[in-house]
Amino acid sequence: MANQPSLEYYPLTTERWDDFETLFGTKGACGGCWCMHWRLSRAEFDDNKGDGNRDAMLRLVNSGKVPGILAYSDGKPIGWCAVAPREEYAGLQRSRIFAPVDDQPVWSIVCLFVAKPFRRTGVSVGLIKSAVDFVKQNGGKIVEGYPNDNMTKPSPDPFIFTGIVSAFQKAGFIEALRRSNHRPIMRIIIQ
């Protein structure tokens, strides 16, 4: 696909759970993750790989929380962006590289997943922008992302699940801080 497809974006709610399952497939996107990597301790995540992580995400969605945004093309789910208040992500709380920049409340984008036929078409940029809109609608003022900036050599798609710097830049984010050569903290202030 040479051009970005026409997309629609919707928050993941119980009504859209089947679409989320369809997009993530039997492997839960990658290795049984089901987008729980950042939400659980490492031991919990490993113990729950596969169905346990799927069930944990389903419980989260059924609780009324919206853990992210789905992208659709022609009515079919083709992309995902996890976004939530930073404090919902235990993995960020433990990270020294992604420790808070300051004491401001932020929302965090921690995962982007795009169906293979739609990769490298701008879907990630659209998902990031949609996530920022969602945060704004929910009263948030700052959104952060933690993309991979190790593009000196090609990385397999599963290793860039946090996105790439250029996608965040195209969505209006700027680098706020860098504690690692390859993992900046990108931010956008919502006006």
Side-chain angles (χ1 to χ4, degrees):
M1 293 186 173
N3 297 321
Q4 179 178 352
S6 176
L7 302 177
E8 294 181 324
Y9 305 93
Y10 298 99
L12 173 58
T13 59
T14 54
E15 297 79 20
R16 294 190 180 276
W17 176 258
D18 289 346
D19 294 339
F20 182 72
E21 277 192 308
T22 296
L23 175 65
F24 273 47
T26 58
K27 294 184 180 181
C30 183
C33 181
W34 291 97
C35 211
M36 293 302 293
H37 171 80
W38 292 100
R39 290 183 174 275
L40 301 173
S41 72
R42 186 162 298 174
E44 290 172 313
F45 176 78
D46 288 341
D47 288 346
N48 287 328
K49 272 191 180 172
D51 288 343
N53 283 335
R54 182 187 61 78
D55 293 347
M57 179 58 83
L58 179 58
R59 281 192 303 276
L60 183 68
V61 172
N62 285 339
S63 78
K65 288 196 174 196
V66 174
I69 306 296
L70 288 166
Y72 291 79
S73 177
D74 295 326
K76 295 179 181 149
I78 57 102
W80 164 253
C81 177
V83 61
R86 180 187 167 87
E87 58 269 13
E88 291 187 21
Y89 296 119
L92 289 178
Q93 307 303 349
R94 294 186 306 271
S95 174
R96 64 179 176 75
I97 294 171
F98 302 131
V101 171
D102 52 34
D103 61 357
Q104 297 296 309
V106 302
W107 287 57
S108 297
I109 293 173
V110 296
C111 180
L112 292 153
F113 177 73
V114 177
K116 201 168 197 170
F118 295 89
R119 293 177 186 163
R120 294 168 183 79
T121 64
V123 172
S124 291
V125 176
L127 278 163
I128 293 167
K129 288 178 178 180
S130 183
V132 171
D133 290 343
F134 176 77
V135 170
K136 182 177 183 178
Q137 292 166 9
N138 285 278
K141 302 290 183 206
I142 302 171
V143 184
E144 286 183 348
Y146 315 96
N148 188 316
D149 192 22
N150 187 15
M151 301 288 89
T152 56
K153 58 182 179 178
S155 293
D157 292 336
F159 295 136
I160 54 174
F161 68 96
T162 55
I164 59 173
V165 169
S166 62
F168 281 89
Q169 288 171 331
K170 289 174 185 171
F173 285 64
I174 60 169
E175 188 173 318
L177 185 66
R178 187 182 289 249
R179 296 185 183 107
S180 161
N181 288 339
H182 304 298
R183 298 306 296 270
I185 298 174
M186 307 285 291
R187 263 191 178 184
I188 190 169
I189 309 297
I190 299 173
Q191 302 298 324

